[in-house]
Amino acid sequence: MRTPIIAGNWKMYKTIGEAVELVKALLGGLDASLVKDREVLVCPPYTALYAVRPLLVGTAISLGAQDVHPEPQGAYTSAIAPGMLVDVGCSAVIIGHSERRQYFGETDASVNKKIGAALGVGLRPIVCVGELKAERDAGQAEAVVGGQLAGGLAGLSAEQMLKLVIAYEPVWAIGTGDTATPADAQAMHAFIRSRLQAQFGAEVAEAVRIQYGGSVKPDNVDELMAQPDIDGALVGGAALKADSFLRIVHFR
Ligand code: 13P
């Protein structure tokens, strides 16, 4: 059985004060009996990590970051090293989000390097894949996602793969309210699992969690999470408010 993992990607939202307020509201509203069998993660902007960390220690919510640089240190103005994320209390990091790919030149090769660097310091990589609308319309969705997986996960061992989470986020569903149907999402998740099986074997493929992301909301999370190969959600907009994120975390 795969432990469901619900993560909030706050993107470039929330001042320090707002982040602290949101974390306090989340902790206050969390139903311990409902979340004992699931993992909950928040990924605030870098500037808020240090402020929210002490609030989260010893709670059911863990801390993640939204990106990482592959080098351990160096003259890389603006970048944040893997060890720095560990230092500030992160246990996970989102890698290869489509916004990083679209606006910051992230490639499958850089994703691959970042995964290795994150694993090297014990961070859990949440590796994002997903196709554009035009690619889906052209019947290329599986080819695109398959390519992202092949490039991003190249050279990983089965043991390393077990530490990863994959997030399938169709780009056309992000921030649009246009969620993939549960059936379409399930089909892609099954495809991703088949690719993991081909590369890493059946045991690994069965164990790796695959999140869905793209307009996950309180009113669609239950149906998405009911799909056999959907093991969690990576939530953007609906993670910015306590009531909507809590309802998603408390999916039935
Ligand atoms: P939305 O939930 O706002 O569509 O964003 C999804 C996402 O990009 C999470 O990483």
Side-chain angles (χ1 to χ4, degrees):
M1 270 308 288
R2 300 181 289 266
T3 304
I5 175 166
I6 307 290
N9 173 10
W10 295 7
K11 307 191 179 182
M12 199 171 71
Y13 292 98
K14 303 292 179 190
T15 62
I16 293 171
E18 290 165 348
V20 165
E21 205 176 305
L22 176 53
V23 162
K24 283 183 179 165
L26 292 175
L27 290 169
L30 213 56
D31 182 332
S33 65
L34 271 179
V35 298
K36 64 180 189 312
D37 60 348
R38 50 193 80 163
E39 234 176 280
V40 185
L41 179 76
V42 292
C43 302
Y46 290 131
T47 47
L49 293 172
Y50 186 71
V52 303
R53 170 198 191 173
L55 303 171
L56 294 175
V57 171
T59 72
I61 302 180
S62 44
L63 189 61
Q66 300 172 19
D67 185 34
V68 67
H69 193 275
E71 294 300 327
Q73 60 179 18
Y76 300 101
T77 299
S78 89
I80 303 290
M84 293 172 178
L85 295 181
V86 173
D87 188 39
V88 78
C90 289
S91 56
V93 60
I94 297 168
I95 294 176
H97 191 279
S98 63
E99 287 149 16
R100 297 291 317 167
R101 294 176 188 262
Q102 271 186 292
Y103 308 131
F104 301 94
E106 189 87 80
T107 63
D108 295 327
S110 63
V111 166
N112 186 252
K113 273 196 203 155
K114 290 177 176 190
I115 293 171
L119 289 173
V121 296
L123 286 169
R124 184 187 296 292
I126 297 180
V127 179
C128 302
V129 296
E131 81 286 354
L132 304 171
K133 177 85 169 78
E135 293 165 338
R136 174 157 288 259
D137 291 346
Q140 294 296 307
E142 288 191 352
V144 168
V145 169
Q148 291 169 337
L149 291 170
L153 307 179
L156 291 181
S157 68
E159 196 191 339
Q160 287 177 314
M161 187 62 219
L162 284 170
K163 303 205 168 87
L164 269 61
V165 171
I166 302 293
Y168 169 58
E169 299 205 304
V171 179
W172 47 269
I174 294 178
T176 58
D178 194 10
T179 322
T181 65
D184 282 348
Q186 164 57 28
M188 184 59 88
H189 281 230
F191 168 75
I192 292 170
R193 209 177 294 289
S194 74
R195 281 304 168 97
L196 295 179
Q197 173 160 358
Q199 188 174 348
F200 300 101
E203 213 175 304
V204 172
E206 273 311 300
V208 170
R209 292 170 295 175
I210 307 173
Q211 295 177 308
Y212 170 79
S215 297
V216 175
K217 305 291 178 199
D219 63 3
N220 60 28
V221 66
D222 297 338
E223 211 186 343
L224 287 162
M225 288 304 296
Q227 305 303 312
D229 287 293
I230 298 184
D231 309 311
L234 184 53
V235 186
L240 298 174
K241 287 205 172 117
D243 57 349
S244 52
F245 190 61
L246 283 167
R247 175 59 186 86
I248 291 169
V249 163
H250 295 151
F251 74 85
R252 301 178 187 115

